Amino acid sequence: MRVATTGGSIDPRKSCRNRSGGGSFVHTLTLTDIATGWTECVPLVVRQAGLVIEGLEQLRAMMPFPLLGFDWGQTGVWIGEEKVTIHLFVMVLGYSRRIFVRAYRNERLGNLLDAH
C-alpha cells in the first residue's frame, strides 16, 4: 500500500519495519471537542507551520461547529500583603472573535472544564 502525498508517496509498511528510527513518518493533527467527544484528524507528511495551518483549515471545514482558541496564562496579583499567582483561562470565541477570560488558582482539568 502506498499513500499519495504532495511530494510523492510513502510506503507505511517500510516506515513501520524500519527499527532504526530513520526515514519518513506521517504525523496526525487531531482535534477533539471536549464536550461532545467529536474527533477529526488529518495527516501531516511533515510537521511544518504551513501544513499545520492547512490542516486546521481542513479540520475547520469538517467540524459541525466553529473552532475556538484557548490557552492558559499566569500573572501575579497582590491580595492584601501576599502576592498570589493566578492562572488565566483565555478563549477567543469562534464567530464573534470576542475574548473571554476567567481566573483560577491552578490549571487543572476541572477548571478547564468549568471555564470551557
Side-chain angles (χ1 to χ4, degrees):
M1 173 180 92
R2 297 190 73 74
V3 178
T5 67
T6 56
S9 63
I10 298 172
D11 187 343
R13 293 172 297 179
K14 288 182 182 175
S15 293
C16 293
R17 286 196 305 260
N18 183 353
R19 302 282 185 226
S20 70
S24 297
F25 296 91
V26 176
H27 303 277
T28 305
L29 176 61
T30 305
L31 295 182
T32 302
D33 178 55
I34 294 171
T36 64
W38 186 290
T39 301
E40 294 286 354
C41 61
V42 294
L44 298 176
V45 178
V46 294
R47 288 188 293 182
Q48 187 179 48
L51 293 177
V52 171
I53 291 169
E54 286 178 26
L56 284 171
E57 291 302 322
Q58 289 177 17
L59 289 168
R60 182 172 283 145
M62 297 159 114
M63 300 294 264
F65 38 78
L67 296 180
L68 52 85
F70 71 89
D71 200 358
W72 288 97
Q74 296 181 24
T75 190
V77 296
W78 289 95
I79 299 178
E81 298 292 318
E82 181 183 0
K83 187 172 184 181
V84 177
T85 300
I86 59 169
H87 302 263
L88 302 170
F89 176 85
V90 181
M91 181 168 56
V92 179
L93 303 177
Y95 285 119
S96 67
R97 310 307 295 165
R98 288 192 169 180
I99 296 176
F100 171 83
V101 179
R102 189 172 276 179
Y104 292 93
R105 300 278 291 183
N106 56 53
E107 297 177 16
R108 294 189 181 144
L109 180 60
N111 292 333
L112 172 67
L113 295 176
D114 177 65
H116 181 257

